[in-house]
Amino acid sequence: MLNRSLKKVSWAVKTYRGYIPISQEALEDSDIDLAGLVANHVQTSSVEHC
């Protein structure tokens, strides 16, 4: 049997991503620029971790 050892790896997340489900139909039928509204929200939102 092989004797394998594991080492700890430190890492830091610099980018956080999410999923915002918006249908193509909602984008097309909206009276406002829904895609622009979501894009603006994503750009101005930030996640802070201690």
Side-chain angles (χ1 to χ4, degrees):
M1 195 188 267
L2 294 175
N3 182 13
R4 295 185 185 229
S5 61
L6 299 175
K7 66 178 182 174
K8 290 187 177 189
V9 176
S10 68
W11 57 278
V13 177
K14 295 183 180 181
T15 303
Y16 297 89
R17 300 189 187 228
Y19 175 72
I20 303 172
I22 300 175
S23 69
Q24 185 64 37
E25 185 178 43
L27 292 172
E28 292 171 358
D29 292 345
S30 178
D31 290 335
I32 63 168
D33 180 14
L34 191 55
L37 181 68
V38 171
N40 185 46
H41 175 71
V42 170
Q43 287 177 343
T44 58
S45 296
S46 66
V47 178
E48 301 214 7
H49 293 274
C50 297

